[in-house]
Amino acid sequence: MLFFLLFVTSLMASTTFAGNFYNDFDITWGGPRAKILNGGQLLTLSLDRASGSGFQSKKEYLFGRIDMQLKLVAGDSAGTVTAYYLSSQGATHDEIDFEFLGNVSGQPYILHTNVFAQGKGGREQQFYLWFDPTRNFHTYSIVWNPQRIIFLVDNIPIREFNNAEKLGVPYPKSQPMRIYSSLWNADDWATRGGLVKTDWTKAPFTAYYRNFNANACTSATSCSSTTKNGLRDDAWRTQELDAWSRRRLRWVQKNYMIYNYCSDLKRFAQGVPPECRPSRVH
């Protein structure tokens, strides 16, 4: 199974999308630490002792599939966080998060995921990856539709968050969100709870982005779709996990999940949140 997933990972890492960073994003902070290169095909973010850097999408999206290829900070990345997420604004914002928590050389990154709805988060799941995310580009995707949110790595599902509004659980469904990414210093918590600090002698730290694609709606009535073999590719609208994808999800969660809020009985001594019922997969 691991060999097969590595083979799929290799294939997905070389997939080509059609985004252009000049057209799709604005650099929002960090000055010269953020750069768009190769005619808009590559974007880099850097962090030094003075500042990190970040960018955001020009458009807002309301449901869709978002893909981005990232190559993370190599070497001793302890204390650094590379964040890549969707978010609206305000106290009752919605948010769908990938965060990559750096580590000392030779130790694995932690992939931190979370879902906020109406300003409330606390739905964390964390994973190790089955490859070195600093050696090559890998594709990190969010599928977001009215029924569910699926987090994918090289098209392998690692997490599914279902719409559980019937249980009284808020779900992101009405606030358009922009894509954001940033590289910043979080050595007060990011690595071993803040015990390992950023080694500034290794700066600047740099993360790389390419092959952005948004197959998504920008409002309830304005949607874009890419085409495959002459047909509209809007499978994300009703996408769910088939039996094969569920087997891959279970494999990832069995072997690489290191934290699941739904299993944290110390945190939820009075009972886990309602969306964590055994009949639901998150």
Side-chain angles (χ1 to χ4, degrees), residues 25-58:
F25 291 94
D26 292 316
I27 292 172
T28 50
W29 64 286
R33 297 170 188 83
K35 298 176 182 178
I36 299 176
L37 305 168
N38 297 351
Q41 299 304 303
L42 178 71
L43 188 151
T44 65
L45 294 181
S46 292
L47 164 70
D48 58 31
R49 187 184 287 272
S51 178
S53 51
F55 63 88
Q56 70 179 41
S57 62
K58 295 179 184 291

Side-chain angles (χ1 to χ4, degrees), residues 87-95 116-120 170 172 174-175:
S87 184
S88 57
Q89 298 296 309
T92 59
H93 75 291
D94 295 337
E95 189 171 323
F116 287 73
Q118 298 178 21
K120 181 180 183 298
S174 59
Q175 300 185 51

Side-chain angles (χ1 to χ4, degrees), residues 57-68:
S57 62
K58 295 179 184 291
K59 295 180 180 178
E60 296 179 321
Y61 302 97
L62 182 64
F63 303 127
R65 176 173 177 139
I66 307 297
D67 302 283
M68 184 83 79

Side-chain angles (χ1 to χ4, degrees), residues 2 16 54 100 109 135-136 138-139 153 161 182 190 221 224-225 271 281:
L2 176 58
T16 301
F100 303 89
Y109 266 82
R135 294 189 65 184
N136 297 296
H138 293 270
T139 305
V153 177
F161 183 85
S182 58
T221 58
S224 63
S225 294
V281 178

